[in-house]
Amino acid sequence: MKNLVLLIGNDINNISRGQSWKDLLQDIITFCHAGGCVELDDKKPFPLLYEEIFLTASKNHRIREKDLKSFIAIKAAEIKANPLHSAIRDLKPAHILTTNYEFTLEGQIPLENTSIIKEKFYSIFRRYEVGNIHYWHIHGDCLNPMSINLGFEHYGGQLQLMRNYVVSGTVYSSKEVPKPSLLRRIHSKEVYFHSWIDLFFTEDIHIFGLSLDFVETDLWWLLTYRARQKFHHKNVPVPNQIFYYIPEEYVAASKFKLDLLIANDVTIVSLPGKDKLAYYESIIKQIGKSHQTAHQGSNR
């Protein structure tokens, strides 16, 4: 029986009352004293907008990125839990991957980092365990502000390490980190979930609450590379499925993105989404039902 694996984005937090993403952006600009210099516009990809804000502040006020990310970590930690977070935990997934920085999914601040190495900046192995669930904060977390992945430079560094891990192998000094590439280890059947990246090639993954905008270059690269291995190179077995959940009302407007996801071997699941809370509750219910059916089938 396959493990239940979820990849969850920030939209589930929008059920909670409190600060919106736009509010946070404005707070960042205010903190950096960049109000008269930086103009918010949806046409600006966020990783580059972050660089614009930080570099403007750095030139004019000598602000340290450590201070800026510590401020962002404090703001993110203020996000309140809502019923969806506990409903997700009730599914008892083996792994939850998240782009979120705070710990509302865990329901508490984790006492122990269970990563095979302690990463200061990037998040190839960033893992916590609470209640027998492995939580992978793939874009950093509030306890480690410099790990929070926001800017274009950080995305580039993360992607570089991801590609090394999958394609060419690692050079970490720790003996705990496997040196051969993930592709070689898949061939030799030596995949032990050291990294969240392992799951993308081995386990079914359900993605929801995540817009998967094209600025998420790390995730789009991973999806593309996985699909190339499956359909073009055919060098390694790729037995798993990836599901992307989207409100029915957004399907037409998201056609181009969905076309790209389908080309990258992602199955699209659309459900009624006019009521955001009911939409996510229906996703959780459907995932739970399908996983239970799979479990019953494996026991026959």
Side-chain angles (χ1 to χ4, degrees):
M1 176 189 165
K2 286 184 174 292
N3 294 313
L4 178 56
V5 182
L6 312 176
L7 169 54
I8 301 171
N10 184 65
D11 195 49
I12 63 164
N13 291 338
N14 291 330
I15 302 295
S16 306
R17 291 185 178 182
Q19 191 175 55
S20 68
W21 181 246
K22 191 170 183 179
D23 293 334
L24 178 58
L25 284 179
Q26 195 58 60
D27 286 345
I28 293 172
I29 289 175
T30 301
F31 180 82
C32 292
H33 307 286
C37 310
V38 175
E39 182 179 354
L40 294 179
D41 192 293
D42 291 340
K43 296 184 181 68
K44 293 181 179 179
F46 178 75
L48 288 172
L49 173 61
Y50 172 85
E51 299 291 354
E52 180 186 8
I53 296 169
F54 169 65
L55 293 173
T56 299
S58 183
K59 284 187 294 185
N60 296 339
H61 301 280
R62 299 183 182 277
I63 190 172
R64 297 187 307 169
E65 189 166 30
K66 181 179 180 180
D67 296 332
L68 174 55
K69 287 198 171 182
S70 293
F71 171 77
I72 294 169
I74 291 170
K75 287 292 182 181
E78 293 174 355
I79 294 173
K80 304 297 184 185
N82 62 56
L84 293 175
H85 298 104
S86 57
I88 290 167
R89 290 193 295 274
D90 288 343
L91 286 173
K92 293 181 170 50
H95 303 270
I96 294 179
L97 288 60
T98 183
T99 54
N100 301 345
Y101 314 128
E102 88 296 334
F103 299 103
T104 48
L105 281 165
E106 286 92 332
Q108 64 186 72
I109 296 176
L111 298 176
E112 183 182 3
N113 183 316
T114 57
S115 313
I116 57 174
I117 61 170
K118 302 299 187 286
E119 298 166 295
K120 293 182 179 178
F121 298 105
Y122 300 111
S123 301
I124 308 301
F125 309 103
R126 189 174 302 280
R127 179 181 64 193
Y128 298 92
E129 185 174 351
V130 178
N132 296 321
I133 299 174
H134 297 291
Y135 294 87
W136 305 83
H137 286 263
I138 68 177
H139 284 171
D141 67 76
C142 292
L143 293 179
N144 302 274
M146 287 305 293
S147 72
I148 291 177
N149 190 353
L150 290 165
F152 200 66
E153 193 280 332
H154 201 140
Y155 269 94
Q158 173 96 346
L159 181 50
Q160 181 181 16
L161 293 179
M162 287 173 61
R163 196 176 195 283
N164 289 346
Y165 183 84
V166 175
V167 182
S168 59
T170 67
V171 293
Y172 295 94
S173 58
S174 171
K175 294 180 181 179
E176 298 295 319
V177 180
K179 300 301 185 289
S181 70
L182 176 60
L183 296 186
R184 288 184 61 186
R185 288 184 287 114
I186 290 175
H187 268 299
S188 59
K189 297 182 180 179
E190 296 179 347
V191 181
Y192 303 113
F193 303 143
H194 292 303
S195 168
W196 60 270
I197 298 169
D198 300 345
L199 299 166
F200 266 79
F201 292 83
T202 56
E203 300 287 339
D204 293 351
I205 300 178
H206 301 265
I207 305 173
F208 60 93
L210 183 66
S211 64
L212 262 182
D213 291 334
F214 299 129
V215 299
E216 305 283 8
T217 50
D218 53 344
L219 292 174
W220 278 101
W221 174 81
L222 192 56
L223 290 172
T224 300
Y225 195 83
R226 172 187 174 275
R228 279 175 169 265
Q229 292 303 309
K230 184 171 184 176
F231 299 119
H232 179 58
H233 300 296
K234 300 180 181 179
N235 290 330
V236 297
V238 183
N240 64 323
Q241 291 182 281
I242 298 178
F243 303 91
Y244 181 75
Y245 294 80
I246 184 172
E248 289 177 351
E249 295 77 12
Y250 292 176
V251 168
S254 303
K255 180 183 184 304
F256 297 134
K257 179 174 73 175
L258 299 183
D259 287 347
L260 292 171
L261 286 171
I262 292 169
N264 281 283
D265 192 41
V266 176
T267 300
I268 308 301
V269 183
S270 60
L271 297 169
K274 289 184 179 179
D275 182 313
K276 191 184 290 282
L277 177 60
Y279 164 68
Y280 284 117
E281 287 175 339
S282 66
I283 291 176
I284 293 167
K285 182 178 180 180
Q286 180 164 319
I287 292 173
K289 185 176 181 180
S290 62
H291 188 64
Q292 184 179 30
T293 300
H295 178 63
Q296 291 171 343
S298 67
N299 288 335
R300 288 174 183 168

